[in-house]
Amino acid sequence: MEDYNKIIESLGVKFVKAKSIKILKPVTVNNLYEVENKLILVNKGEVLVGEERLLAKEGDFAFIPGGKSHQITYGRGSQIVSVSNDNFITNKGEFFHSITHEDLLKEGGDSFSYISFEAKVFDSVNFFASLDIPAFIFTNDTVKTLHDEIFHEMNMDEPGADRMVKVLTEHLLIEVFRHIVRNKLFVEQLATNSTYFKDPRLIDIFNYINEHLGGDLSNKKLAEVANVSEDYVGQYFKMLTGINPQDYIEYQRMEEAVTLLRTSKKSIRDIGQEVGYKDTAYFCRRFKMMFGIPAGKMRRRESLMNV
């Protein structure tokens, strides 16, 4: 239990957005990729998750961890369209319509709502991605209450609404984590990865990477930060995290690129350079390889419908 408390204390939780969606046409997205974690509540209809096609029906939650691709079917019927993530982003308006939470509860047809949030160890490591946790389905009255309160606060023109959303999102994260522990999901891996929370040298590396994404992050530099040999630092990092440092660095750089694409008007060239890629063409190739869509479409996704 002490390790679990350390894990929770180390997590930086950030609310990203929450939306209510009416499904205009049922669709299967074969390789949907989200940077953030997504908690989906099925209001009417069905959502199927993963190759196992885990079923979330009315009143169920589907938890979709960020940082990896998932197959998701929204809606039901005999005419479900199957598309790639790229095609889905381009044609999202054909499948989804964003509505208010109040209208979602009143209108007919299949619909869902979702809350997106980040959860990072020491504000650096994508927590659920680092544990390789798959998507799962569950029901939880406390989570349902938190979900409804978040939507309520978002619609309030009252002082402190943003702070309340932040606090409620942190509570939401804890309830998801408790569900994982109570149901003995991935407990062995959680225990193994508790090394994140015990080794100060690793924390120093995480912090350094986070603060110098556009700079020199070679193994030589990381070895200096951790005060270990250059030959050993890669083995050391992988032993504790399960991933080699350069793969982790690329993921962090790409995640920051997504944030910049969503929140700034900087050019793709400038964003690539800011996160450590001098060659814009190489940055674009790596971005599409990781997320399944070009950088320009990632930006369009946010402005298209804000769905």
Side-chain angles (χ1 to χ4, degrees), residues 44-211:
K44 293 180 182 177
E46 298 176 352
V47 171
L48 300 172
V49 179
E51 294 182 0
E52 305 87 352
R53 297 179 66 78
L54 303 173
L55 171 63
K57 54 188 184 301
E58 184 174 331
D60 289 342
F61 285 99
F63 179 69
I64 316 295
K68 60 195 305 186
S69 295
H70 302 272
Q71 182 186 84
I72 303 182
T73 299
Y74 297 100
R76 55 191 167 171
S78 58
Q79 303 296 321
I80 299 176
V81 179
S82 181
V83 299
S84 68
N85 188 45
D86 196 347
N87 288 335
F88 176 67
I89 298 307
T90 302
N91 302 295
K92 185 175 285 189
E94 181 181 341
F95 305 107
F96 287 174
H97 175 59
S98 179
I99 61 177
T100 68
H101 192 56
E102 290 73 20
D103 287 342
L104 179 147
L105 299 175
K106 292 185 289 187
E107 291 193 12
D110 289 354
S111 60
F112 65 93
S113 58
Y114 72 85
I115 297 169
S116 291
F117 63 93
E118 293 179 354
K120 292 187 176 182
V121 181
F122 303 113
D123 292 322
S124 300
V125 182
N126 187 317
F127 176 60
F128 293 105
S130 72
L131 297 178
D132 197 27
I133 291 177
F136 58 86
I137 310 300
F138 70 109
T139 57
N140 185 296
D141 291 341
T142 301
V143 172
K144 176 62 167 61
T145 299
L146 292 168
H147 167 280
D148 292 347
E149 289 180 355
I150 286 172
F151 275 90
H152 175 70
E153 288 293 338
M154 286 177 59
N155 294 323
M156 292 281 287
D157 186 20
E158 294 284 347
D162 289 346
R163 182 63 180 268
M164 282 298 298
V165 169
K166 179 180 185 296
V167 171
L168 291 165
T169 304
E170 290 179 342
H171 190 174
L172 193 71
L173 176 280
I174 291 172
E175 290 300 327
V176 171
F177 185 86
R178 285 175 173 175
H179 176 83
I180 291 170
V181 174
R182 285 171 183 159
N183 290 276
K184 298 186 165 112
L185 305 175
F186 331 115
V187 171
E188 181 179 349
Q189 195 163 8
L190 279 170
T192 300
N193 282 274
S194 65
T195 49
Y196 280 150
F197 317 100
K198 298 176 182 177
D199 194 318
R201 295 176 299 176
L202 186 61
I203 297 169
D204 288 343
I205 291 177
F206 287 152
N207 289 335
Y208 188 84
I209 291 171
N210 196 41
E211 294 169 6

